[in-house]
Amino acid sequence: MNDRKTRTECSLFLIFMLLFIVAFSRNAYAASDSSAMDAAVNEILDMPPESGSDSAAETVTGNDDDGNPVQPDAGPVTSNTDVLPAAVEAPSLAADTLNLLAGGNSYKLQVQNADSASYQLSSPGVVQLSEETAQSVTITPSAAGNTVLTVTAAADGQAQTVLACVITVSDLSVSQDVVEIYMNDTEHSADISIQGPDLDAVYYGGEWDDDLRDALDYSSECLIQAGNEEVAKACFLDGAIHISGIAKGVTNIRGTIFGVPFSMKVRVYHYTLNKYAINTYKGSTQKTLKVKGAGTQKAEWSSGNKNVAEVSKNGVVTIKGIGATKITAKVNGRKLICIVAVSSKTAARVIKDARAIAARENVRYSQAYRMSQNYYDCSSLVYRCYKPYGIRFGYTTPGWAPTAAAECLWCVSTGHTVASQSVDILSCKLVPGDTIYYSFNGNNGRYLNIDHTAVFAGYAYDEASGYYGTVIEASSSKGSVVERMYYPGQSIMLIGRPSKK
């Protein structure tokens, strides 16, 4: 017990001696560095180092020349907290998935926040790497398949970061190498699909959503052109190649999609008839129809109404009776139609005379002079064209014509009517010489409030308008006798056929 007490006292004595020596050293050598001594004391005392700077401790314990403690000078308060360096962003890739086209354009993959980088592929044959730097690598798609690009990157002396980009490469092709378009179809166009890539995946970068479907319409890297735009035209439309037929012929469609070329041949067929409308009369000679543009394809002929006209297997039409019908030629699944309208011989002469009047330059419209030479109104034109052939619409007054309403009433009362309302041109209800009666201005106190009449002149056809009909009339608005298109509508009150034989 006494030995332990003695050891403790000796230890305390040594500590006090050391403290005395430290204090003496700081007073004697104020300018010298005492950090080593402080560390030794702290180690002995098993205490942590004092916080703050050594100079601060010295200002507290220092004395002036007379041995009096020196108070620290007032001055700005400074923080003793260490300033931490700015955080360094970890490396990253601009894209972690890529969908590219085999044989197409290269893609430059950006590596962000890296000072060094290395690259490795899981399947080297799918893509080729070039221009490898710490900031980017160029990826060139070679063959269809999948691979993973592993990027080991580091920034500003930091630990390495391992990054990965999954790359899918697709073969691109078009669904058809040869496209056939028929101008006889209702829709003479075709949509050719693009096969291989996912159209909604991200491709190559750009200012839009970067999917291939949008890029086809807007990117300058996606081009398409027809060799002869007089035959067909082509464009991208909703992820497909849209081809429109223009005229019979053959042309090539070529283009590129992000460096991948494609091409196809387009054949545009156009079956045509030598005649699309025949306006004739009962007793006339046979007519021959021919299909053009069918090559060796044979046409199948048929008649809609054999009582009006018959057709042979070679397209020879035989006129049978008054009326109108459709003669159809079926070629390679496509139908061609010729409207055959057969009137009486009298009605055919009426149309010939009316058309001759409309062709004269000195003809004028007038109600007051309606029966004078070169003057007509609507009803006097019809009356004066039919009168030479014995049809007077029941009117016996010499030198004067009935009104349009009176002519209509005669057709009804004598059974010379065709329809009590407007008819569509393709209904084949009309024949040349039929009289059409209109009510434009409402109640006028006359039969069916009719105030105008015209004579149906026949059927016609062109590519722009399709099938249509014409009428000949004395027009107050035109001030003359004219031939114009037939327009069905509610203003037509009745259609008559003055000559049925």
Side-chain angles (χ1 to χ4, degrees):
M1 185 68 176
N2 290 332
D3 292 341
R4 181 180 297 177
K5 181 177 181 181
T6 301
R7 285 196 298 271
T8 301
E9 289 175 351
C10 289
S11 297
L12 290 174
F13 175 78
L14 290 173
I15 290 171
F16 286 128
M17 287 298 293
L18 286 171
L19 291 173
F20 174 78
I21 293 170
V22 169
F24 176 80
S25 299
R26 285 180 175 173
N27 287 329
Y29 308 101
S32 65
D33 185 5
S34 62
S35 60
M37 184 63 71
D38 290 342
V41 173
N42 289 333
E43 183 178 357
I44 294 172
L45 296 177
D46 196 21
M47 296 174 59
E50 293 182 277
S51 62
S53 65
D54 292 340
S55 59
E58 291 172 357
T59 56
V60 172
T61 59
N63 301 310
D64 59 14
D65 293 339
D66 297 329
N68 298 318
V70 178
Q71 299 296 324
D73 293 334
V77 178
T78 59
S79 171
N80 60 356
T81 303
D82 292 337
V83 178
L84 298 177
V88 177
E89 293 189 38
S92 63
L93 298 179
D96 55 12
T97 60
L98 288 177
N99 289 273
L100 306 178
L101 301 176
N105 292 349
S106 299
Y107 181 87
K108 191 171 186 178
L109 178 63
Q110 301 292 332
V111 183
Q112 301 163 334
N113 309 315
D115 293 327
S116 64
S118 62
Y119 306 92
Q120 186 174 1
L121 291 168
S122 63
S123 299
V126 176
V127 299
Q128 302 296 322
L129 303 182
S130 61
E131 301 178 7
E132 301 176 23
T133 69
Q135 287 73 42
S136 66
V137 61
T138 298
I139 303 170
T140 301
S142 302
N146 297 284
T147 188
V148 177
L149 173 62
T150 301
V151 182
T152 304
D156 196 21
Q158 302 297 312
Q160 290 182 334
T161 301
V162 178
L163 307 168
C165 178
V166 179
I167 303 173
T168 300
V169 178
S170 303
D171 280 325
L172 181 146
S173 63
V174 293
S175 60
Q176 294 177 235
D177 294 329
V178 179
V179 181
E180 294 184 338
I181 295 176
Y182 294 85
M183 298 301 293
N184 304 89
D185 293 345
T186 303
E187 295 292 334
H188 36 269
S189 62
D191 290 316
I192 310 305
S193 61
I194 296 171
Q195 298 178 325
D198 179 359
L199 298 181
D200 298 312
V202 176
Y203 280 83
Y204 293 102
E207 296 179 356
W208 52 89
D209 291 338
D210 296 341
D211 60 89
L212 183 56
R213 189 182 302 275
D214 286 343
L216 289 172
D217 292 327
Y218 301 112
S219 175
S220 60
E221 295 292 337
C222 301
L223 304 174
I224 188 169
Q225 182 69 45
N228 186 350
E229 293 194 340
E230 292 184 357
V231 174
K233 292 185 178 181
C235 66
F236 294 114
L237 181 64
D238 193 26
I241 299 172
H242 183 75
I243 303 175
S244 300
I246 305 300
K248 180 185 174 182
V250 179
T251 187
N252 290 317
I253 304 294
R254 293 186 175 90
T256 58
I257 298 175
F258 285 109
V260 179
F262 66 89
S263 65
M264 63 191 77
K265 180 173 287 187
V266 178
R267 293 191 178 100
V268 180
Y269 298 94
H270 193 183
Y271 304 146
T272 60
L273 289 174
N274 61 327
K275 296 177 182 179
Y276 287 90
I278 296 175
N279 298 288
T280 187
Y281 56 90
K282 184 179 178 180
S284 63
T285 59
Q286 290 180 328
K287 319 296 179 184
T288 301
L289 294 176
K290 295 180 179 180
V291 176
K292 299 179 180 179
T296 58
Q297 295 277 356
K298 296 293 184 179
E300 298 178 6
W301 297 93
S302 62
S303 171
N305 187 344
K306 294 181 179 180
N307 293 324
V308 174
E310 291 182 343
V311 61
S312 72
K313 64 180 182 179
N314 296 320
V316 178
V317 179
T318 301
I319 306 303
K320 305 295 288 186
I322 294 175
T325 189
K326 297 174 183 175
I327 301 296
T328 302
K330 188 175 181 181
V331 184
N332 194 24
R334 276 79 190 176
K335 292 182 179 180
L336 304 171
I337 294 173
C338 175
I339 296 179
V340 178
V342 182
S343 64
S344 68
K345 196 167 186 178
T346 294
R349 291 170 176 169
V350 166
I351 296 304
K352 182 179 179 181
D353 294 346
R355 198 166 265 139
I357 294 171
R360 298 205 302 259
E361 295 183 357
N362 60 343
V363 171
R364 297 291 181 268
Y365 177 89
S366 174
Q367 288 186 332
Y369 300 101
R370 60 200 293 258
M371 300 303 293
S372 300
Q373 185 178 4
N374 296 328
Y375 289 94
Y376 299 88
D377 71 354
C378 65
S379 57
S380 70
L381 173 67
V382 172
Y383 175 77
R384 291 164 69 180
C385 285
Y386 267 103
K387 180 182 176 182
Y389 306 104
I391 298 175
R392 299 189 178 189
F393 298 90
Y395 210 67
T396 58
T397 303
W400 201 250
T403 64
E407 291 175 1
C408 178
L409 180 58
W410 176 85
C411 288
V412 172
S413 61
T414 58
H416 287 80
T417 60
V418 176
S420 58
Q421 59 186 0
S422 172
V423 296
D424 184 79
I425 196 69
L426 288 178
S427 67
C428 292
K429 299 288 186 182
L430 298 168
V431 299
D434 287 352
T435 49
I436 304 172
Y437 300 98
Y438 302 83
S439 176
F440 287 118
N441 299 312
N443 188 9
N444 62 7
R446 296 177 178 175
Y447 181 69
L448 298 179
N449 297 314
I450 290 169
D451 50 28
H452 184 66
T453 185
V455 60
F456 184 73
Y459 295 87
Y461 174 88
D462 64 43
E463 289 285 347
S465 303
Y467 295 93
Y468 63 95
T470 63
V471 298
I472 300 173
E473 65 183 2
S475 170
S476 59
S477 61
K478 300 293 184 181
S480 184
V481 175
V482 297
E483 184 171 358
R484 62 166 176 84
M485 290 186 69
Y486 163 80
Y487 299 105
Q490 295 181 349
S491 59
I492 295 178
M493 308 306 294
L494 190 132
I495 298 173
R497 186 165 294 165
S499 175
K500 289 188 173 183
K501 297 180 180 180

